[in-house]
């Protein structure tokens, strides 16, 4: 890996790129020379050779000043030689170069999973269409054509139709690269493009009968995993938060639970020769997701009597955490034992949120328990009143026929 300050980096396509500043161009922007090699040492050598060639380049001679009162014309000023190839590269950087630079900057400021998603979007979706284009040539028409193509046959493997959510993510990544280019004066404006609406998929919640069956199964089998399911149903914590939850995160005196980490599997972007994915324990999804949740007193005894060492993980009882995909598989088997239809693990969180709303729990309290930054997010994503609740609400409406019944 190149040393900091060398301006040598590894690109997405596997090549090493050395960048050399060569002074301002006519419009005031910085000129760069881009040198490529299959190895880091090769790029470093090319950079040294190019810098040496710049030093050896003959300097223009200064014109002799015209003596006072002389009638002879001044010597014609010699023009500074111009490297045309360098000017073309600097005035019209390719999209792939800017995208690589943007990814390098993002790697330092976002979570590993977010960087992996950005890298995937750039490599698999954006570079095949825009990689060899000069970034200034990417306009509204090109972007619209690209997005429509992705909608019709944008799948990577079978060229299948992509969902609106995926297209929205692709467009969002493209816009981030273009905004980065604008902020670095590579382009003047970010082109407009077709609006893409990512519709929220229908969200399922457990019926009251299913909730009772899950609670009964969790208590009857007396397993740590069953207790974990019960905890999610009564606190709304996420799957990744449960998998790396430790007994030391409980405060039995205050009857609270601290959420300060999560675990997830993501693409392995650090080791090209290693496995394609890796498991990471990291901070929760957002700053607001680091929170302390009050536990319902009714479930505290079940956990307190099974509590282990502070460093042990709750759902395994050992010093090893549970992977999210293992958690999903175990939950599917748990549902079958409970005799309920299959739902995603996240349905437990949806169900908890809906129960809180139907029972009249303060929305601000619910929002903070879920780790949301704003109450509106809670309302939009997780509040799904049942038909029974809807009917009870509309029956509160005063009409001519029921006014006399009060």
């Amino acid at each position: 890996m190149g040393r900091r300050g060398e301006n040598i980096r590894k690109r997405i396509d596997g090549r090493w790129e050395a960048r050399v500043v060569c002074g301002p161009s006519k419009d005031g922007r910085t000129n760069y020379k881009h040198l490529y090699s299959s190895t880091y040492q090769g790029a470093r050598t090319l950079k040294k050779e190019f810098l040496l060639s710049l030093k050896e380049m003959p300097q223009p001679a200064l014109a002799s000043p015209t003596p006072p009162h002389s009638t002879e014309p001044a010597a014609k000023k010699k023009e500074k030689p111009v490297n045309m190839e360098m000017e073309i590269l600097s005035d019209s950087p390719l999209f792939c170069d800017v995208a690589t630079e943007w990814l390098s900057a993002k790697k330092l400021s976002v979570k590993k999973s977010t960087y992996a998603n950005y890298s995937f979007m750039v490599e698999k979706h954006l570079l095949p269409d825009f990689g060899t284009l000069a970034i200034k040539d990417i306009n509204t028409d090109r972007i619209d054509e690209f997005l429509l193509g992705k909608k019709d046959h944008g799948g990577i493997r079978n060229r299948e139709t992509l969902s609106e959510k995926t297209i929205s993510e692709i467009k969002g990544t493209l816009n981030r690269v273009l905004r980065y280019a604008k902020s670095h004066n590579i382009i003047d404006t970010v082109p407009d493009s077709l609006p893409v609406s990512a519709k929220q998929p229908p969200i399922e919640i457990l019926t009251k009968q299913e909730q009772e069956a899950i609670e009964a199964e969790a208590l009857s089998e007396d397993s740590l995993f069953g207790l974990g399911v019960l905890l999610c149903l009564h606190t709304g914590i996420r799957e990744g938060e449960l998998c790396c939850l430790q007994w030391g995160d409980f405060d039995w005196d205050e009857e609270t639970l601290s959420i300060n980490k999560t675990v997830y599997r993501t693409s392995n972007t650090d080791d090209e020769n290693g496995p394609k994915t890796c498991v990471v324990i990291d901070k929760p999804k957002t700053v607001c997701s680091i929170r302390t949740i009050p536990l319902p007193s009714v479930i505290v005894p079940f956990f307190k009597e099974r509590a282990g060492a502070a460093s042990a993980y709750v759902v395994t009882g050992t010093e090893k955490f549970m992977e999210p995909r293992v958690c999903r598989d175990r939950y599917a088997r748990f549902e079958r034992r409970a005799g309920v239809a299959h739902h995603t693990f996240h349905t437990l969180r949806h169900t908890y949120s809906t129960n809180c709303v139907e029972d009249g729990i303060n929305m601000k309290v619910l929002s903070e328990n879920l780790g949301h930054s704003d109450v509106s997010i809670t309302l939009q994503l997780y509040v799904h009143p049942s038909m029974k609740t809807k009917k009870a609400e509309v029956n509160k409406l005063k009409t001519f026929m029921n006014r006399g019944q009060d």
Side-chain angles (χ1 to χ4, degrees):
M1 186 62 66
R3 289 195 295 269
R4 189 175 183 87
E6 277 192 323
N7 259 355
I8 300 177
R9 65 189 174 195
K10 194 169 188 179
R11 293 159 44 93
I12 296 175
D13 58 14
R15 293 183 298 167
W16 286 87
E17 174 193 358
R19 192 173 68 164
V20 184
V21 178
C22 301
S25 61
K26 294 177 181 178
D27 58 4
R29 296 175 181 172
T30 303
N31 266 333
Y32 293 101
K33 175 69 174 178
H34 301 265
L35 305 163
Y36 304 95
S37 176
S38 59
T39 65
Y40 161 70
Q41 288 296 340
R44 193 178 183 205
T45 300
L46 288 175
K47 180 179 178 180
K48 286 183 177 179
E49 291 175 350
F50 179 73
L51 290 173
L52 184 61
S53 69
L54 287 181
K55 291 181 180 180
E56 295 175 349
M57 184 180 294
Q59 299 298 319
L62 295 175
S64 301
T66 305
H69 311 296
S70 172
T71 58
E72 295 181 5
K76 186 177 180 181
K77 184 178 180 181
K78 291 181 73 175
E79 295 183 359
K80 185 176 181 179
V82 178
N83 187 324
M84 295 305 294
E85 180 186 4
M86 178 188 69
E87 185 135 4
I88 291 172
L89 285 169
S90 61
D91 284 349
S92 304
L94 301 181
F95 177 84
C96 61
D97 295 325
V98 179
T100 301
E101 186 172 316
W102 172 75
L103 280 173
S104 298
K106 279 296 177 184
K107 194 170 187 177
L108 302 174
S109 60
V110 298
K111 290 180 64 175
K112 190 179 181 72
S113 58
T114 303
Y115 175 80
N117 184 58
Y118 286 158
S119 183
F120 178 84
M121 291 296 170
V122 169
E123 182 178 355
K124 299 299 183 181
H125 291 287
L126 299 180
L127 290 188
D129 286 80
F130 298 120
T132 58
L133 288 177
I135 195 165
K136 71 177 185 180
D137 292 335
I138 299 177
N139 53 30
T140 298
D141 291 339
R142 284 185 182 273
I143 296 175
D144 288 349
E145 183 181 357
F146 165 74
L147 293 176
L148 290 172
K150 284 294 175 183
K151 184 176 182 179
D152 294 337
H153 47 76
I156 296 172
R157 294 176 183 171
N158 302 318
R159 307 291 291 172
E160 69 273 15
T161 300
L162 293 181
S163 67
E164 290 181 341
K165 181 177 183 297
T166 301
I167 296 173
S168 178
E169 290 180 357
I170 295 171
K171 178 184 175 181
T173 306
L174 174 60
N175 282 341
R176 288 181 177 92
V177 176
L178 294 174
R179 287 198 296 269
Y180 176 85
K182 183 178 182 296
S183 68
H184 286 71
N185 297 320
I186 298 172
I187 58 176
D188 296 325
T189 58
V190 176
D192 293 327
S193 55
L194 289 170
V196 178
S197 60
K199 296 179 181 178
Q200 181 71 20
I203 293 177
E204 294 182 333
I205 62 171
L206 299 171
T207 65
K208 297 301 181 184
Q209 293 77 12
E210 288 175 327
Q211 293 176 55
E212 291 174 0
I214 284 177
E215 288 180 341
E217 179 64 26
L219 296 176
S220 65
E221 69 178 33
D222 193 29
S223 69
L224 290 176
F225 183 78
L227 285 181
V229 173
L230 188 68
L231 184 66
C232 290
L233 187 59
H234 287 271
T235 61
I237 64 174
R238 301 178 178 95
E239 176 188 67
E241 295 167 345
L242 172 68
C243 287
C244 63
L245 188 68
Q246 295 170 290
W247 286 112
D249 296 322
F250 287 86
D251 184 329
W252 303 118
D253 294 331
E254 297 294 331
E255 295 189 351
T256 59
L257 174 64
S258 296
I259 301 298
N260 49 53
K261 56 189 177 297
T262 188
V263 60
Y264 55 86
R265 179 172 287 276
T266 186
S267 299
N268 185 8
T269 57
D270 294 332
D271 185 3
E272 294 180 353
N273 299 320
K276 292 184 178 180
T277 61
C278 60
V279 179
V280 178
I281 291 184
D282 202 350
K283 293 179 181 179
K285 193 173 182 180
T286 63
V287 174
C288 293
S289 293
I290 301 175
R291 62 202 189 276
T292 299
I293 303 172
L295 294 169
S297 297
V298 68
I299 70 171
V300 171
F302 298 104
F303 289 88
K304 194 172 183 179
E305 68 182 15
R306 295 293 303 272
S311 59
Y313 290 94
V314 173
V315 291
T316 64
T318 67
E319 301 289 322
K320 183 174 175 55
F321 60 84
M322 179 179 288
E323 284 194 39
R325 62 182 179 183
V326 174
C327 179
R328 288 191 288 272
D329 291 341
R330 290 198 59 177
Y331 181 64
R333 295 195 294 270
F334 177 91
E335 286 179 309
R336 289 195 291 270
R337 293 196 299 272
V340 302
H342 176 63
H343 302 278
T344 66
F345 195 91
H346 209 68
T347 302
L348 296 172
R349 181 172 168 87
H350 298 324
T351 303
Y352 164 77
S353 306
T354 303
N355 287 343
C356 287
V357 172
E358 293 182 349
D359 290 342
I361 291 179
N362 181 278
M363 286 303 302
K364 181 62 175 175
V365 171
L366 173 59
S367 180
E368 291 185 359
N369 285 351
L370 292 173
H372 290 160
S373 59
D374 192 271
V375 173
S376 62
I377 299 175
T378 310
L379 289 168
Q380 292 172 7
L381 296 180
Y382 295 109
V383 177
H384 312 282
S386 65
M387 184 55 66
K388 180 180 178 181
T389 302
K390 292 178 181 177
K391 189 171 182 179
E393 290 299 314
V394 298
N395 281 336
K396 294 178 181 178
L397 181 65
K398 297 297 182 182
T399 67
F400 172 78
M401 290 176 286
N402 62 16
R403 278 194 189 106
Q405 300 174 8
D406 294 339

